[in-house]
């Protein structure tokens, strides 16, 4: 009788242990399935291209009449993201904070009429895509007809801009002489305010990118005139050092957009803002 009771108890224990093990296996299976689903979801999450840009920099990045961000560079970024299955995040920035944001990961590229010359040591760049010049704009009735006429005048440009770099180039004798002849070289946060100061007479000239000059002169053709260029350069997309794969993907996508005519469509869209398809160089 005792042996029979022990046998019954042993069988019951084995049955309970089997049920526990079975439940554990079932629970582990659900956990693995959820983990797999979570992994698939994470794997399918689109890469987000966070573009840092100056929202007061038409025609490359600015606030349109509808209150939304627009500009040829932003349109190109949107198309590049769509073709690569990426998400696009537009991040308006203070231009003098761009380096800190790029290095901290707050943005992963600068795409905003960004001149690459003399910045190659600080950034990784895409292949250059647009020819540009640094020029000086004055009021049509100012009596200033050449760079030599800027002697004793006040010139303004954007802080940390390519125009400022050109005018401050101590290895360029012409620029050293030009800057030395000025009454003052001022800097300001954005070009819209720079041109407001020019129109009001607070400054005598604005040094800026060719496209910025073309945009302002197209808007007010009887108010401004452009002097001879200070320098010739190129625009490219700027990245943190080491982002070679991202830079190559964007360069390759822009080439494809040139081949299928998308770039021409975008240049034509912004032609009234001073963008010229003839200045496109990435082919």
């Amino acid at each position: 009788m005792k042996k029979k009771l022990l046998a019954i108890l042993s069988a019951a224990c084995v049955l309970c242990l089997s049920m526990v093990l079975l439940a554990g296996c079932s629970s582990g299976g659900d956990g693995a399935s959820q983990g797999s689903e979570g992994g698939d979801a994470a794997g399918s999450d689109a890469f987000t291209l966070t573009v840092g840009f100056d929202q007061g920099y038409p025609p490359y990045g600015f606030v349109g009449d509808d209150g939304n961000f627009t500009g040829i560079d932003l349109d190109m970024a949107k198309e590049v993201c769509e073709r690569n299955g990426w998400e696009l995040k537009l991040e308006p920035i203070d231009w003098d904070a761009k380096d800190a944001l790029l290095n901290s990961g707050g943005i992963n590229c600068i795409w905003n009429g960004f001149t690459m010359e003399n910045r190659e040591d600080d950034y990784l760049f895409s292949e250059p895509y647009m020819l540009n010049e640094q020029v000086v704009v004055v009021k049509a009735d100012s009596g200033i007809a050449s760079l030599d006429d800027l002697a004793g005048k006040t010139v303004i440009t954007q802080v940390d801009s390519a125009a400022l770099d050109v005018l401050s180039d101590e290895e360029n004798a012409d620029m050293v002489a030009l800057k030395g002849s000025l009454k003052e070289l001022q800097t300001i946060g954005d070009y819209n305010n720079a041109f407001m100061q020019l129109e009001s007479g607070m400054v005598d000239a604005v040094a800026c990118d060719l496209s910025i000059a073309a945009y302002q002169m197209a808007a007010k053709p009887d108010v401004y005139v452009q002097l001879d260029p200070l320098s010739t350069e190129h625009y490219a997309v700027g990245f943190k050092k080491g982002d070679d794969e991202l830079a190559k993907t964007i360069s390759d996508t822009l080439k494809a957009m040139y081949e299928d005519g998308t770039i021409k469509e975008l240049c034509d869209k912004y032609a009234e803002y001073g963008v010229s398809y003839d200045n496109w160089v990435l082919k």
Side-chain angles (χ1 to χ4, degrees):
M1 184 69 178
K2 182 187 249 184
K3 289 183 178 181
K4 187 174 181 181
L5 180 59
L6 288 173
I8 293 173
L9 289 173
S10 297
C13 289
V14 169
L15 180 60
C16 290
L17 179 61
S18 297
M19 291 177 66
V20 169
L21 291 174
L22 182 61
C25 290
S26 175
S27 175
D30 288 346
S33 176
Q34 291 171 2
S36 174
E37 290 174 2
D40 289 342
S44 64
D45 284 346
F47 166 72
T48 298
L49 183 70
T50 304
V51 174
F53 70 102
D54 178 353
Q55 64 179 319
Y57 203 74
Y60 292 91
F62 61 104
V63 180
D65 293 337
D66 59 359
N68 295 319
F69 296 131
T70 188
I72 185 170
D73 275 354
L74 304 188
D75 280 4
M76 283 194 287
K78 180 180 179 182
E79 181 68 19
V80 165
C81 286
E82 289 179 355
R83 294 189 183 208
N84 287 285
W86 300 341
E87 298 291 336
L88 172 64
K89 181 180 179 182
L90 300 177
E91 189 68 37
I93 62 174
D94 290 330
W95 195 241
D96 56 354
K98 62 186 181 300
D99 294 349
L101 289 168
L102 188 65
N103 291 326
S104 69
I107 58 176
N108 49 29
C109 72
I110 302 167
W111 198 337
N112 191 205
F114 194 37
T115 299
M116 65 182 295
E117 279 82 3
N118 300 316
R119 287 175 168 149
E120 293 90 343
D121 292 339
D122 301 320
Y123 306 91
L124 172 71
F125 283 100
S126 68
E127 294 183 48
Y129 62 85
M130 187 76 80
L131 181 69
N132 184 50
E133 293 177 329
Q134 294 302 319
V135 300
V136 175
V137 177
V138 298
K139 292 181 69 173
D141 60 359
S142 67
I144 301 173
S146 70
L147 296 177
D148 290 339
D149 294 335
L150 292 173
K153 307 296 184 183
T154 298
V155 177
I156 195 169
T157 190
Q158 187 181 40
V159 62
D160 200 24
S161 65
L164 180 61
D165 289 342
V166 169
L167 287 168
S168 303
D169 185 358
E170 296 183 357
E171 297 182 1
N172 186 321
D174 291 338
M175 292 301 104
V176 170
L178 175 59
K179 183 180 179 182
S181 73
L182 301 178
K183 176 182 178 181
E184 187 179 5
L185 177 60
Q186 299 181 0
T187 58
I188 196 168
D190 65 85
Y191 278 120
N192 287 333
N193 282 322
F195 275 90
M196 289 175 61
Q197 291 200 21
L198 176 60
E199 188 170 1
S200 69
M202 295 176 65
V203 298
D204 301 296
V206 175
C208 61
D209 294 69
L210 174 64
S211 55
I212 301 298
Y215 169 76
Q216 294 289 345
M217 291 189 296
K220 297 181 178 181
D222 298 326
V223 176
Y224 304 124
V225 294
Q226 177 187 311
L227 306 182
D228 291 336
L230 300 171
S231 67
T232 299
E233 59 200 26
H234 296 86
Y235 285 155
V237 186
F239 306 87
K240 183 168 61 175
K241 294 279 189 176
D243 278 350
D244 299 74
E245 184 177 350
L246 180 58
K248 184 179 185 306
T249 299
I250 288 179
S251 293
D252 290 345
T253 307
L254 289 175
K255 289 178 184 178
M257 290 165 58
Y258 167 78
E259 290 291 340
D260 65 22
T262 302
I263 292 299
K264 187 176 188 311
E265 292 177 4
L266 290 176
C267 288
D268 290 345
K269 175 181 176 180
Y270 290 94
E272 64 179 299
Y273 294 93
V275 175
S276 173
Y277 179 64
D278 292 338
N279 290 334
W280 185 265
V281 297
L282 183 56
K283 302 174 182 179

